[in-house]
Amino acid sequence: MVLDLLFNLLIYPLKQIIEFSFSLFYHVFKNPGAAILGVSLAVTIMCLPLYIVAEKWTELERDIQKKLEPGVKRIKKFFKGDEQYMILTTFYRQNHYHPLMALRSSFSLLIQIPFFLAAYSYLSHLSLLQGRSFFILSDLGKNDALFTIGSFTINVLPVLMTLINCASGFVYTKGHSLREKLQVYIMAAVFLVVLYDSPSGLVLYWTLNQVFSLTKNIFMKLKNPLKVFFTCVCAAILFCDFYLLFLHPGSFKRRLLMTVVISFIFLAPLFVKGISRLIDGVLFPLLNSSKSRCLLFFTSAAGLFLLTGLFIPSSIISSSVIEFFNIDGLGSPLCFISNTLMQSCGLFLVWPTFLYFLFNKRIQTAFSALSFVLFVCALVNTFVFVGHYGTLTRMLTFSENIAGRVLPFVMVLNLAVLLLLAAVSVLAVKYRFLNVLTGISGISCISLFAAGLLYSNVIRKSYNELSLTYSPQSAVELKPVLHLSKTQKNVVLFMLDRSESAFFNSILEEDPSLKDIYTGFTYYPNTISYGGHTIIGAPPLFGGYEYTPEEFNKRSDVSKLTKNNEALKVLPKIFGEQLDYNVTVTDTSWANYQWIPDMSIFEGMKNVTPLSLENTYTGLWMDLNRDKVKENLVSSSIKRNMLWVCFFRISPPLFRDAIYDDSKWWNTDEEIGDIQGFIDYYSALYFLPQLTDFSSDKPSFLNITNDSTHSGFELNPPDYVPAVKITGTGTGEFAKVSGYSANVAAFKLIGKWINLLKENGVYDNTRIIIAADHGIGKDEVVKKLYNGKLSDGFCMDHLNPMLLVKDFDAQGEIKTDTTFMTNADVPLLLLKNLVENPVNPYTGKPMTDSIKKEKGAVVTTNSTWSPDQHSSTTFSIKENQWYTVKDNIFDTANWSKGRQ
């Protein structure tokens, strides 16, 4: 516990700087060795001010030691034992010196330790280095073993590192005392022992550090070291700018932004002069008042700490406690807040305080003013320029692409407001309103602390309630819970959430054996759903045309919740009561409008058994497949990403897309997806054969919902199973599109279940429909399948769900039927020839597809996914969010704006 605290406070901030630097340079050069070189250079440059201060302290210590040396020698010559100690102590006190001050001479060595620990923590476990080469180093993830004598190998790089370290020390300690020289050489020997068998990537980093240290020491011996150094840096920046603008293959927008950012280094001398004048002029009241300076700095730093460490994390988790419930067995989500609290404390309090007291009062003045401006700007960005970026998942990534979500006007307005705030803050210092500024930061600290405690209390109460009411029963054994009949008819509906229709042919192309499994099925590619999110797309699939969004909204006198639950219960009620089938319903989406479906809505219905298969078999799967997943991956990712979400929230909108980094948050770990969330769903399909028997004494209806296809988690082809390291992509047409892997996995697992039915002679007397509530929505699919785009930019593929139908006794190869279908046809297809003229048991109206035949499908592009974002009785859909679609959905001419 103490070590974790020290790590988060002292080492973690440095580790994040190293990881960000590595990721940045890896983005640029696409080579881990070059990225390590960049990290080493960046760390060296960032540490230069510390080394300069260390050198001053060392010189000061040498001067004092030289001054005191004659007196110390005389005392040691004439006195011994306790008497010598007492006289030496008195002598030091008279000269205002303490022996502990001698540590100042070792400061340049001491500051290397936390950076070394941070680099060791990061690079020694970086999977990206495994198997990657750099010049003569064949594998950066292993020791170099460059020289071999028989069966004995010698790691050359650590030896080279030590020689360079000694050379650097020789230059640095030239003319210094023997004690200082010994310190350097002993430290070099220690690093040789520690790093000798380490991965060559880590040793390369430290070797480059010694090269740059040697270069620094040589520079310090020059007449004008800063000018020469700045000239070299400018040359390096020019090279980077040229590479980014003309050679790098990445996004031009990001390349241009990176070029602009690093090019600010050219203006460094102007910045230094400007800040110096600012300190001597406008900020003089701060420079002249130690108390005001300290108070403003600490209240501002504390404000940033409370905002990022407490307020933002607690507000995020309190909005959906159930998503963070007992992740990886950690219990209360408060553990994620305490973790972020420590990280933020180290980043915004511990290290800034260390730096504040390290420098003189001029630098302290700049620190104080800058801290206040950053804090005020962070508050404005967090509470005023919030932005709308879509749904934040429990892995702290957005469910949709956030690029282009903020208008350029908003970005310009934000920058103007921030510049105005900075100017007002500086003028407030000039006109001696320091108490006002300190009051603002102090009151903000108290407010953030109180709000954070309030949110934390909500989390605590919600967790305690969930512990009593939501306790998913992890199965300890596999036993059949799905019962089919060998002698009577069976009807099965698989609702695969967000299963993509366009992927099906690609899946068959990649794995032709599935064609022999899915015999008798008819594939309907020309199928449309009524909404791009489950809340709107699922009710028609389960309840039919009365629950399409347009018809749903016409019954405005009935609550939205009631209509939703009606739709989910239509089929179980007809099959259970009217047809006297044994009905099993699992994990029905948004049951009772709960994120984790509340299956109690089916309790008490005749012949209906509600079950939860998702979340239930995760533990069993994990026990059987320990080699396929990283331990505590989900909780580790949340602990790491939460602080980056805070950076995102407090940053200007202009930089948020870059901070998000396409959902990676500058993470270099190759496996960062929500594997546990995926396994929660995947395991239900994985164990489907073991969960099924053929003991039903009556006809059977299985209504199975599964969310595994909703995941964009990558799996290992060709079997498409979870793996610690993904070794490639599939060969299908859409194999590289996000979500493809999960779709292949689902069809492979359902295929194994179909083989079980065939082996037991149950396939022919079973009607099976595999359907989805909506498609994924990918531009790659639109480009290949559609003849154009809609004028408003809506991705039509979002409304193209999977629809596969296998009727009783159907045989032969998979057929493709291009008839215009909707997912509201599913109830009619399930009831076909079983119920003559079916009637909705809740409204008494006939269940028909007459609406589709008369005017096509009236669909919506509304992107509001959560029930509480709509009104209490209807879906909140604007008029410009309606389309009427007929006939061939892949022809944009058949998409008419509005409701016809």
Side-chain angles (χ1 to χ4, degrees):
M1 186 67 182
V2 175
L3 290 177
D4 286 343
L5 177 64
L6 292 175
F7 178 84
N8 281 303
L9 290 177
L10 301 177
I11 307 303
Y12 188 81
L14 303 181
K15 181 181 176 182
Q16 284 294 282
I17 291 172
I18 289 173
E19 181 174 16
F20 172 75
S21 301
F22 182 92
S23 185
L24 179 65
F25 286 105
Y26 187 75
H27 274 50
V28 173
F29 299 110
K30 304 299 181 183
N31 182 285
I36 290 173
L37 190 155
V39 171
S40 181
L41 179 60
V43 170
T44 299
I45 293 174
M46 284 187 292
C47 288
L48 270 179
L50 299 179
Y51 284 123
I52 292 172
V53 172
E55 184 61 26
K56 289 182 178 180
W57 282 10
T58 302
E59 289 295 334
L60 176 63
E61 179 63 23
R62 288 196 200 105
D63 292 342
I64 293 175
Q65 290 284 1
K66 189 174 181 180
K67 176 184 173 183
L68 298 180
E69 186 177 7
V72 172
K73 284 184 176 179
R74 283 197 303 270
I75 292 170
K76 290 184 176 180
K77 180 178 180 180
F78 294 106
F79 301 97
K80 302 295 181 182
D82 292 341
E83 190 177 15
Q84 183 192 91
Y85 172 76
M86 292 177 65
I87 294 175
L88 269 178
T89 303
T90 304
F91 178 70
Y92 286 141
R93 186 170 63 250
Q94 289 173 343
N95 287 275
H96 308 289
Y97 181 78
H98 192 283
L100 287 176
M101 292 180 180
L103 291 174
R104 290 181 297 193
S105 63
S106 305
F107 185 65
S108 59
L109 296 175
L110 293 175
I111 60 176
Q112 295 184 49
I113 295 175
F115 284 95
F116 169 74
L117 292 175
Y120 187 89
S121 174
Y122 174 64
L123 292 173
S124 62
H125 301 97
L126 183 59
S127 61
L128 196 61
L129 301 181
Q130 302 298 324
R132 302 295 296 273
S133 62
F134 184 65
F135 290 106
I136 61 173
L137 302 175
S138 59
D139 189 342
L140 292 171
K142 298 179 180 179
N143 50 34
D144 62 78
L146 289 174
F147 190 66
T148 304
I149 303 175
S151 60
F152 182 72
T153 58
I154 298 175
N155 299 322
V156 176
L157 195 57
V159 177
L160 178 62
M161 173 198 72
T162 305
L163 293 176
I164 296 173
N165 200 350
C166 290
S168 176
F170 176 79
V171 173
Y172 175 72
T173 61
K174 189 175 182 180
H176 295 175
S177 67
L178 178 62
R179 182 170 63 88
E180 290 182 78
K181 292 180 179 180
L182 285 175
Q183 282 181 343
V184 171
Y185 297 138
I186 290 172
M187 185 66 75
V190 169
F191 279 117
L192 173 63
V193 173
V194 171
L195 294 178
Y196 184 77
D197 285 319
S198 295
S200 56
L202 175 61
V203 184
L204 174 65
Y205 165 79
W206 205 247
T207 302
L208 291 168
N209 264 22
Q210 304 315 311
V211 171
F212 292 133
S213 178
L214 175 59
T215 307
K216 169 183 67 70
N217 291 336
I218 293 173
F219 268 95
M220 296 301 287
K221 302 294 183 180
L222 298 176
K223 187 175 181 181
N224 294 306
L226 286 179
K227 286 185 178 180
V228 178
F229 173 73
F230 182 68
T231 303
C232 294
V233 169
C234 288
I237 295 299
L238 283 173
F239 170 76
C240 290
D241 287 348
F242 178 81
Y243 179 80
L244 286 169
L245 291 175
F246 302 107
L247 300 177
H248 194 276
S251 163
F252 179 75
K253 178 183 175 183
R254 293 191 177 182
R255 286 186 286 138
L256 182 61
L257 178 62
M258 191 178 298
T259 301
V260 170
V261 171
I262 65 175
S263 294
F264 271 104
I265 295 176
F266 293 133
L267 304 176
L270 294 178
F271 286 140
V272 172
K273 288 183 180 179
I275 292 171
S276 182
R277 289 183 178 180
L278 200 64
I279 292 170
D280 291 328
V282 179
L283 299 179
F284 183 76
L286 268 181
L287 180 66
N288 199 39
S289 175
S290 175
K291 180 180 177 181
S292 297
R293 190 168 63 241
C294 287
L295 197 58
L296 186 62
F297 168 74
F298 282 115
T299 53
S300 301
L304 286 168
F305 155 59
L306 290 170
L307 179 62
T308 57
L310 179 63
F311 176 80
I312 294 176
S314 60
S315 65
I316 290 172
I317 294 176
S318 65
S319 66
S320 184
V321 177
I322 196 169
E323 290 187 70
F324 300 91
F325 180 86
N326 199 31
I327 292 178
D328 292 333
L330 292 178
S332 173
L334 289 173
C335 66
F336 298 118
I337 296 175
S338 63
N339 184 78
T340 310
L341 200 65
M342 289 187 291
Q343 294 172 353
S344 181
C345 183
L347 187 63
F348 291 108
L349 266 183
V350 175
W351 277 103
T353 301
F354 166 72
L355 294 175
Y356 181 85
F357 286 112
L358 184 65
F359 293 101
N360 58 39
K361 67 177 185 178
R362 294 178 62 79
I363 305 297
Q364 290 178 359
T365 300
F367 259 58
S368 295
L370 181 61
S371 295
F372 179 79
V373 170
L374 288 177
F375 179 41
V376 174
C377 291
L379 289 174
V380 171
N381 291 331
T382 302
F383 294 103
V384 179
F385 292 92
V386 180
H388 302 284
Y389 300 95
T391 307
L392 194 65
T393 70
R394 76 169 180 174
M395 290 294 285
L396 304 177
T397 59
F398 294 102
S399 57
E400 305 291 340
N401 189 349
I402 71 166
R405 289 291 186 104
V406 181
L407 297 174
F409 167 74
V410 175
M411 294 183 184
V412 174
L413 177 63
N414 170 260
L415 293 178
V417 170
L418 298 184
L419 287 173
L420 179 62
L421 285 171
V424 170
S425 301
V426 170
L427 289 175
V429 174
K430 178 180 179 180
Y431 292 105
R432 301 182 182 277
F433 289 104
L434 291 174
N435 290 337
V436 175
L437 299 184
T438 305
I440 290 172
S441 55
I443 292 171
S444 299
C445 285
I446 295 171
S447 301
L448 291 170
F449 181 69
L453 287 183
L454 183 63
Y455 281 131
S456 298
N457 191 48
V458 170
I459 295 169
R460 181 186 61 80
K461 287 184 178 179
S462 298
Y463 172 74
N464 291 337
E465 292 172 2
L466 285 169
S467 297
L468 298 175
T469 59
Y470 172 59
S471 181
Q473 298 298 313
S474 296
V476 294
E477 61 177 345
L478 291 169
K479 58 182 180 180
V481 292
L482 306 173
H483 310 292
L484 296 175
S485 173
K486 281 193 172 186
T487 58
Q488 302 187 58
K489 290 182 176 180
N490 303 297
V491 179
V492 179
L493 168 62
F494 284 101
M495 200 291 267
L496 301 182
D497 197 312
R498 206 175 75 155
S499 182
E500 173 65 42
S501 175
F503 289 164
F504 188 63
N505 284 329
S506 183
I507 293 170
L508 296 181
E509 169 195 339
E510 183 165 346
D511 187 356
S513 67
L514 292 176
K515 295 179 182 179
D516 297 328
I517 296 175
Y518 285 85
T519 54
F521 272 89
T522 299
Y523 167 49
Y524 292 93
N526 190 30
T527 301
I528 198 165
S529 62
Y530 286 85
H533 291 281
T534 305
I535 188 176
I536 294 177
L541 186 154
F542 290 117
Y545 283 92
E546 278 191 82
Y547 300 97
T548 63
E550 184 182 34
E551 297 301 311
F552 193 98
N553 280 1
K554 286 180 180 178
R555 294 171 61 196
S556 58
D557 58 329
V558 181
S559 75
K560 191 167 82 270
L561 176 63
T562 298
K563 289 179 286 190
N564 178 75
N565 288 349
E566 275 182 16
L568 307 187
K569 294 192 291 185
V570 164
L571 289 171
K573 193 170 184 68
I574 292 175
F575 275 101
E577 291 187 7
Q578 188 173 341
L579 296 176
D580 197 32
Y581 274 49
N582 280 332
V583 177
T584 303
V585 186
T586 82
D587 308 293
T588 312
S589 302
W590 282 120
N592 220 26
Y593 275 156
Q594 296 296 309
W595 180 260
I596 305 296
D598 180 5
M599 301 303 290
S600 67
I601 67 170
F602 299 101
E603 291 178 359
M605 295 179 66
K606 183 181 178 182
N607 294 328
V608 176
T609 302
L611 293 175
S612 292
L613 300 185
E614 296 180 339
N615 303 302
T616 303
Y617 300 98
T618 306
L620 281 175
W621 189 92
M622 292 283 196
D623 288 340
L624 293 173
N625 299 275
R626 289 292 175 188
D627 60 323
K628 291 184 173 62
V629 293
K630 284 185 178 179
E631 190 175 359
N632 300 327
L633 174 64
V634 178
S635 59
S636 297
S637 295
I638 294 173
K639 288 178 179 179
R640 191 254 177 211
N641 291 348
M642 185 65 80
L643 191 61
W644 280 88
V645 176
C646 297
F647 296 156
F648 180 91
R649 290 278 298 274
I650 67 175
S651 298
L654 175 64
F655 300 109
R656 288 176 180 170
D657 185 27
I659 292 172
Y660 185 55
D661 188 33
D662 294 329
S663 81
K664 295 183 180 65
W665 299 116
W666 295 92
N667 194 333
T668 49
D669 192 337
E670 293 181 327
E671 186 182 0
I672 56 174
D674 189 354
I675 184 65
Q676 180 181 314
F678 175 70
I679 298 302
D680 285 343
Y681 312 134
Y682 176 85
S683 57
L685 295 180
Y686 181 89
F687 290 119
L688 208 55
Q690 294 95 319
L691 299 176
T692 306
D693 70 9
F694 308 96
S695 61
S696 179
D697 57 352
K698 292 195 299 186
S700 179
F701 172 53
L702 303 183
N703 187 345
I704 300 171
T705 299
N706 190 270
D707 289 346
S708 59
T709 45
H710 198 288
S711 172
F713 200 84
E714 294 300 317
L715 305 170
N716 238 4
D719 296 326
Y720 286 91
V721 295
V724 171
K725 186 176 180 62
I726 303 301
T727 57
T729 58
T731 59
E733 182 182 17
F734 295 110
K736 294 184 179 180
V737 179
S738 175
Y740 178 82
S741 287
N743 274 262
V744 182
F747 277 95
K748 283 180 173 290
L749 295 178
I750 293 175
K752 293 181 179 180
W753 180 79
I754 286 175
N755 280 336
L756 177 72
L757 269 58
K758 289 181 177 181
E759 292 167 3
N760 285 272
V762 180
Y763 191 63
D764 289 341
N765 64 310
T766 302
R767 171 181 286 167
I768 304 172
I769 293 182
I770 302 174
D773 48 349
H774 57 85
I776 292 180
K778 293 294 180 182
D779 289 333
E780 299 96 319
V781 175
V782 173
K783 289 177 183 177
K784 291 190 177 182
L785 299 185
Y786 294 77
N787 69 347
K789 292 183 177 182
L790 297 179
S791 59
D792 61 3
F794 178 75
C795 186
M796 297 167 286
D797 177 58
H798 217 53
L799 303 183
N800 184 208
M802 184 71 70
L803 181 58
L804 288 167
V805 180
K806 201 282 294 187
D807 210 343
F808 299 115
D809 299 314
Q811 297 178 356
E813 294 184 358
I814 299 172
K815 300 175 183 177
T816 299
D817 189 329
T818 59
T819 302
F820 175 56
M821 304 288 285
T822 81
N823 62 352
D825 288 318
V826 169
L828 296 175
L829 293 170
L830 289 168
L831 295 170
K832 182 180 178 182
N833 298 328
L834 297 178
V835 179
E836 195 72 27
N837 301 319
V839 173
N840 185 328
Y842 293 100
T843 65
K845 294 181 179 181
M847 297 175 65
T848 70
D849 61 353
S850 58
I851 296 175
K852 179 183 74 171
K853 292 177 179 178
E854 291 172 7
K855 60 178 184 179
V858 180
V859 304
T860 179
T861 62
N862 181 276
S863 61
T864 308
W865 66 273
S866 177
D868 57 10
Q869 294 173 309
H870 294 275
S871 76
S872 60
T873 59
T874 60
F875 296 126
S876 301
I877 302 172
K878 299 176 182 178
E879 280 304 315
N880 65 354
Q881 294 177 326
W882 293 101
Y883 274 96
T884 300
V885 187
K886 299 179 181 179
D887 304 324
N888 180 11
I889 70 170
F890 303 105
D891 185 352
T892 54
N894 294 327
W895 290 66
S896 303
K897 195 75 172 177
R899 292 178 280 180
Q900 306 300 318

